[in-house]
C-alpha cells in the first residue's frame, strides 16, 4: 500500500516498540547489544545476519530515522551520521581515493566549498568547481579520474535551482554517480532521485530537525547505480579484505552503498549520530510538510515585498517571476522554491551590516532551516574563507545578505525588515 508524504513523515520506519508497546519511538540509549549466542555474534560480525552489535555502527532509534529519510527520499536505504559535513565525507569516501576528483558546483554552502577546496586535499582528493548552469563545462570537467558529481538541489546561498535532469544526464553518460545535497529543499519540496541522483545527502541539522536543536546528517542511496559496470568503484565492486573478500555490490545489490557506509564508513570513520539527536530529528520530521508549506508561503511574501522596496537592489528568490531560475521551480521543486535567498541592499557592505544589526525578530546566526527567521552577511562569515571570485561565483558578494525565512507571521517579518532597512538607509 502506498501512502502520502504527510503519512510517511509520521509513520515510515516506526512501529510500536516490540518490548513495551511504546507508541513513540524509544531513545535506545545503549552502546551495545547482547548476542543470543556465539554463532549469532559471528554471523553479525560476518555481515551474514543484520542486527545490532555496537552503536557506533547501528542503533534502533537511528535505524528508524534512517528508514524514514530513505522512504521520504524514495531511496533504497539511508545512513545517518553526526553532521551534514560528515555526510559529505561519508558519501565520497567509498568512491574516492588519492588522485581522484569530484566535479562540484560553485554554488554550495560556504562550509562545503571550504571542505572541498582545502580539507579533502589531505586525503589526496580534489574538487573541480564548475558553474552548473554551464552544462558543457560540467561535461568537460569530468575526466578519467572523476568519481562523483556534486551539487545542491536548491543551492546556497541564493536559493538557485539546479537543473538536476540535465546534470544527471551528463553524469549518467559518463558512468559517474551524481550526489545531490537536498538540505535546503528537503524531500518535501524536491526528490533528487526522481531527477536522476544516485545519492542524496542531508544536513538534518536544518529543516528536517527544523528548530535548531541538534546536528546530524544523512546519506540516502537510490540503489540505482551499477557499481560493477566499470572498475572505477573497487570499494563497492571488488573483494573487501576486512570482510574476508566479500564484494558489497554482488552481495547486497541495491543496498551495497548503504551496507558499505555502515560496515566500513561508520565502523572506521566513526562519524556516528547519537540516538538523542535521532529522536529530536524524528520529532522534527513529523511536521516537515506543515512547516515547509509555511516556510515557502512566508518566503514568497517577504521576497516579493523586498523586491518592491526602493532600498533593495535585488532579491534572488527563485519563487519570484523575475528570477532566472523561476522556470525550474515547476520542474524541480513544484511545491515551492524553499525559504532561502539573498538580498543585495543599496548602500553595499555598510548598509548590510546596519540591516543585520537593526533586526529584532531575525537572528544573526550561521544557520538556516530553523522555525526562526535568520540572517547572515555571508561574505564576512559563512563564505569568509572564500576568495572574492569564489564569493561572487557563489552569489555571496560583500553587498549581499542571506536570509532564511522562518514560520513566524509574515507581516511581522516584513515590519521588522522595514524598520531595520530604515535604520540602514538613515
Ligand atoms: C548546513 C549545511 C551543510 C553542513 O551541515 P552541518 O550539519 O552543519 O555539518 C551542508 N550543506 C548544506 C546545504 C547546509 O545547509
Amino acid at each position: 500500500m502506498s501512502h502520502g508524504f504527510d503519512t510517511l513523515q509520521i509513520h515510515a520506519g516506526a512501529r510500536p516498540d516490540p518490548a513495551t508497546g511504546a507508541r513513540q519511538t524509544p531513545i535506545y540509549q545503549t552502546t551495545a547489544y547482547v548476542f543470543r549466542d556465539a554463532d549469532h555474534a559471528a554471523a553479525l560480525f560476518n555481515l551474514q545476519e543484520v542486527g545490532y552489535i555496537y552503536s557506533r555502527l547501528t542503533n534502533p532509534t537511528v535505524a528508524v530515522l534512517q528508514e524514514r529519510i530513505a522512504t521520504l527520499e524514495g531511496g533504497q536505504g539511508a545512513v545517518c551520521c553526526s553532521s551534514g559535513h560528515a555526510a559529505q565525507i561519508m558519501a565520497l569516501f567509498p568512491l574516492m581515493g588519492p588522485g581522484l576528483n569530484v566535479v562540484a558546483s560553485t554554488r554550495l554552502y560556504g562550509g562545503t566549498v571550504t571542505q572541498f577546496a582545502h580539507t579533502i586535499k589531505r586525503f589526496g582528493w580534489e574538487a573541480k568547481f564548475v558553474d552548473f548552469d554551464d552544462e558543457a563545462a560540467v561535461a568537460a570537467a569530468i575526466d578519467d579520474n572523476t568519481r562523483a558529481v556534486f551539487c545542491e538541489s536548491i543551492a546556497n546561498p541564493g536559493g538557485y535551482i539546479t537543473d538536476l535532469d540535465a546534470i544527471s544526464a551528463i553524469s549518467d553518460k559518463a558512468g559517474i554517480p551524481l550526489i545531490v545535497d537536498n538540505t535546503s529543499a528537503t524531500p518535501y519540496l524536491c526528490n533528487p532521485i526522481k531527477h536522476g541522483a544516485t545519492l542524496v545527502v542531508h544536513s538534518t541539522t536544518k529543516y528536517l530537525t527544523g528548530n535548531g536543536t541538534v546536528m546530524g546528517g544523512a546519506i540516502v542511496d537510490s540503489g540505482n547505480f551499477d557499481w560493477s559496470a566499470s572498475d572505477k568503484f573497487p570499494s563497492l565492486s571488488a573483494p573487501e579484505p576486512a570482510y574476508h573478500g566479500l564484494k558489497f555490490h554482488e552481495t547486497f545489490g541495491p543496498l551495497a552503498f548503504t551496507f558499505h557506509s555502515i560496515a566500513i564508513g561508520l565502523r572506521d570513520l566513526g562519524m556516528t549520530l547519537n540516538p538523542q539527536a535521532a529522536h529530536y530529528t524524528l520529532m522534527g520530521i513529523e511536521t516537515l510538510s506543515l512547516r515547509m508549506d509555511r516556510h515557502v508561503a512566508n518566503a514568497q511574501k517577504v521576497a516579493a515585498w523586498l523586491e518592491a522596496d526602493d532600498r533593495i537592489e535585488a532579491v534572488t528568490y527563485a519563487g519570484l517571476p523575475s528570477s532566472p531560475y523561476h522556470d525550474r521551480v515547476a520542474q524541480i521543486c513544484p511545491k515551492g522554491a524553499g525559504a532561502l535567498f539573498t538580498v543585495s541592499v543599496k548602500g553595499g557592505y555598510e548598509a548590510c551590516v546596519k540591516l543585520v544589526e537593526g533586526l529584532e525578530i531575525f537572528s544573526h546566526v550561521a544557520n538556516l532551516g530553523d522555525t526562526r527567521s535568520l540572517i547572515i552577511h555571508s561574505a564576512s562569515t559563512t563564505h569568509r574563507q572564500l576568495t572574492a571570485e569564489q564569493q561572487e561565483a557563489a552569489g555571496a558578494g560583500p553587498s549581499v545578505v542571506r536570509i532564511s525565512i522562518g514560520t513566524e507571521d509574515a507581516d511581522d517579518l516584513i515590519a521588522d525588515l522595514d524598520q531595520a532597512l530604515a535604520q540602514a538607509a538613515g
Side-chain angles (χ1 to χ4, degrees):
M1 192 168 30
S2 76
H3 295 295
F5 193 96
D6 292 346
T7 304
L8 293 173
Q9 71 185 355
I10 296 169
H11 292 286
R15 52 199 67 82
D17 181 47
T20 63
R23 178 59 274 208
Q24 192 49 276
T25 299
I27 303 169
Y28 285 90
Q29 199 64 60
T30 184
T31 305
Y33 307 84
V34 178
F35 304 121
R36 290 194 301 270
D37 51 37
D39 285 345
H40 178 220
L44 288 173
F45 272 89
N46 278 340
L47 299 183
Q48 286 156 342
E49 188 176 328
V50 177
Y52 298 101
I53 300 175
Y54 189 62
S55 284
R56 181 171 1 94
L57 289 87
T58 46
N59 172 281
T61 312
V62 176
V64 173
L65 178 61
Q66 289 172 161
E67 193 174 332
R68 185 155 314 164
I69 294 174
T71 304
L72 295 178
E73 285 288 3
Q76 290 283 333
V79 178
C80 286
C81 56
S82 53
S83 71
H85 267 10
Q88 292 166 191
I89 295 296
M90 294 261 307
L92 291 174
F93 176 66
L95 314 177
M96 300 285 278
L100 303 178
N101 68 69
V102 50
V103 170
S105 171
T106 47
R107 293 185 202 87
L108 296 175
Y109 177 75
T112 307
V113 177
T114 306
Q115 187 188 51
F116 283 10
H118 301 289
T119 303
I120 65 171
K121 284 187 184 160
R122 302 286 187 99
F123 308 141
W125 308 351
E126 192 206 339
K128 296 192 194 178
F129 291 99
V130 187
D131 177 353
F132 270 42
D133 284 338
D134 185 345
E135 289 160 28
V138 176
I142 298 175
D143 62 25
D144 286 347
N145 292 328
T146 301
R147 291 296 180 274
V149 173
F150 188 99
C151 62
E152 295 177 6
S153 48
I154 298 182
N156 262 278
Y160 316 102
I161 298 173
T162 307
D163 186 346
L164 300 177
D165 300 297
I167 299 297
S168 67
I170 296 167
S171 59
D172 270 1
K173 196 162 167 231
I176 299 297
L178 171 63
I179 306 174
V180 177
D181 182 337
N182 200 31
T183 300
S184 308
T186 82
Y188 180 63
L189 297 180
C190 176
N191 288 123
I193 290 173
K194 284 194 188 136
H195 298 281
T198 309
L199 303 172
V200 178
V201 294
H202 275 284
S203 166
T204 61
T205 312
K206 311 292 169 52
Y207 292 105
L208 293 185
T209 303
N211 47 25
T213 45
V214 288
M215 306 292 302
I219 309 107
V220 183
D221 181 9
S222 65
N224 293 337
F225 196 85
D226 183 357
W227 304 109
S228 308
S230 74
D231 58 4
K232 289 186 172 176
F233 305 101
S235 296
L236 296 158
S237 63
E240 169 57 47
Y243 282 106
H244 312 295
L246 173 141
K247 295 180 185 171
F248 276 90
H249 190 211
E250 187 184 280
T251 308
F252 300 111
L255 282 168
F257 196 97
T258 301
F259 271 81
H260 188 278
S261 291
I262 294 170
I264 309 273
L266 287 179
R267 187 195 65 186
D268 295 345
L269 300 177
M271 300 163 163
T272 305
L273 185 72
N274 69 78
Q276 280 281 346
H279 165 75
Y280 283 113
T281 305
L282 280 165
M283 293 304 95
I285 291 177
E286 292 194 351
T287 58
L288 180 64
S289 64
L290 312 178
R291 287 184 286 107
M292 292 315 291
D293 278 337
R294 174 65 81 87
H295 278 294
V296 166
N298 278 0
Q300 195 71 41
K301 212 166 163 182
V302 173
W305 181 85
L306 283 166
E307 187 177 49
D309 193 277
D310 285 345
R311 296 160 292 189
I312 299 299
E313 191 82 53
V315 181
T316 61
Y317 189 52
L320 296 172
S322 59
S323 165
Y325 297 94
H326 188 65
D327 288 348
R328 289 188 191 161
V329 176
Q331 176 197 348
I332 303 291
C333 47
K335 293 199 206 82
L340 190 71
F341 55 85
T342 57
V343 178
S344 32
V345 184
K346 286 182 186 159
Y349 181 87
E350 292 298 317
C352 285
V353 171
K354 282 192 189 150
L355 168 66
V356 169
E357 291 183 346
L359 286 162
E360 284 165 14
I361 297 175
F362 283 78
S363 306
H364 180 198
V365 300
N367 193 14
L368 60 92
D370 195 318
T371 42
R372 289 153 199 79
S373 290
L374 313 173
I375 190 165
I376 194 156
H377 182 241
S378 301
S380 63
T381 55
T382 54
H383 290 64
R384 187 183 189 87
Q385 321 299 340
L386 278 61
T387 62
E389 267 175 12
Q390 284 175 319
Q391 286 178 356
E392 290 296 342
S399 67
V400 162
V401 289
R402 184 188 74 191
I403 291 185
S404 170
I405 295 291
T407 58
E408 303 99 331
D409 285 291
D411 291 339
D412 291 339
L413 300 178
I414 289 170
D416 195 23
L417 287 162
D418 194 24
Q419 65 80 22
L421 282 168
Q423 292 185 46

